[in-house]
Amino acid sequence: MSRILRGYLRLLDKYPVITMSCTTGTLMATGDALAQKLLEKNTTGFDYKRNARFLGFGLFFAGPTLRFWYVFLDRAVKGKTALATVKRVALDQTVMAPLFLVSFISGMGALRGDSTDVIKSNLKRDFAPVLLNNYKLWPGVQLVNFYLVPLQHRLLVVNVVALGWNTYLAWMNERKQLVQDS
């Protein structure tokens, strides 16, 4: 296990954006797989297209976006004090959390082939409850993350916690589809 971690850290040091993007994509796809198998108990078989959407969203959007966001936060809010940490968390939760959720709900709808009206409807239905649940989990995680974890490892911490979060997002994002397909 320590060998795998050392290899990951070498890749992270040499290719930070690619490594973080691949990690994010993989964990988003894993979260979707868990949602399909554990929450939805999908009896019609595993939906590989859906899983590929999660992989692609994490690989091409979430991973790079969050990597650059964390670098920006570190530059915008200097210092390692408790006050600097609270400022980073406040920015993260008031700026990035809502933007990311809008991007996620809209992006997954677009990748699924939903019309603009369906995407707007999904945003109306899902944005507020998902954002409220976000606020139950992420401020505490980010307080610890921004205070104790070096910048280059923050996205990994988020990705590990996000395995459960991604399972929830997959279930929330796909639940309307499940009802329509029944």
Side-chain angles (χ1 to χ4, degrees):
M1 192 63 159
S2 70
R3 188 185 211 176
I4 292 170
L5 182 59
R6 281 192 308 271
Y8 176 81
L9 293 176
R10 275 194 306 276
L11 287 171
L12 186 61
D13 189 47
K14 193 170 183 177
Y15 310 105
V17 176
I18 293 170
T19 304
M20 290 179 188
S21 296
C22 290
T23 304
T24 303
T26 300
L27 288 171
M28 286 194 80
T30 302
D32 173 63
L34 290 171
Q36 286 190 52
K37 291 298 180 184
L38 299 178
L39 297 178
E40 298 160 16
K41 309 230 189 298
N42 190 345
T43 57
T44 60
F46 190 80
D47 187 342
Y48 290 98
K49 283 184 181 179
R50 169 181 154 176
N51 196 253
R53 287 193 302 270
F54 281 85
L55 175 66
F57 186 85
L59 185 64
F60 297 112
F61 180 78
T65 300
L66 293 174
R67 178 0 173 133
F68 289 115
W69 173 249
Y70 291 146
V71 170
F72 166 78
L73 276 179
D74 235 42
R75 290 182 182 153
V77 181
K78 303 280 186 208
K80 302 273 185 204
T81 65
L83 181 59
T85 300
V86 169
K87 287 179 181 178
R88 280 188 198 101
V89 172
L91 274 171
D92 186 59
Q93 293 302 302
T94 59
V95 175
M96 181 51 81
L99 287 174
F100 185 84
L101 288 177
V102 167
S103 299
F104 175 79
I105 295 167
S106 301
M108 294 305 283
L111 289 170
R112 196 172 37 244
D114 292 348
S115 70
T116 304
D117 288 339
V118 168
I119 291 170
K120 285 179 186 177
S121 174
N122 289 345
L123 280 166
K124 271 184 161 174
R125 180 194 69 201
D126 294 340
F127 179 77
V130 173
L131 186 63
L132 286 173
N133 284 325
N134 169 88
Y135 290 146
K136 293 174 187 175
L137 172 67
W138 289 108
V141 170
Q142 294 296 49
L143 276 170
V144 172
N145 196 24
F146 292 151
Y147 193 69
L148 297 176
V149 179
L151 175 61
Q152 70 269 24
H153 302 302
R154 288 182 187 153
L155 186 55
L156 178 60
V157 169
V158 166
N159 280 333
V160 169
V161 174
L163 185 55
W165 179 250
N166 292 336
T167 303
Y168 164 74
L169 284 179
W171 173 74
M172 283 294 289
N173 187 65
E174 298 294 329
R175 74 178 199 266
K176 182 180 176 200
Q177 287 301 117
L178 296 171
V179 172
Q180 287 177 349
D181 292 345
S182 296

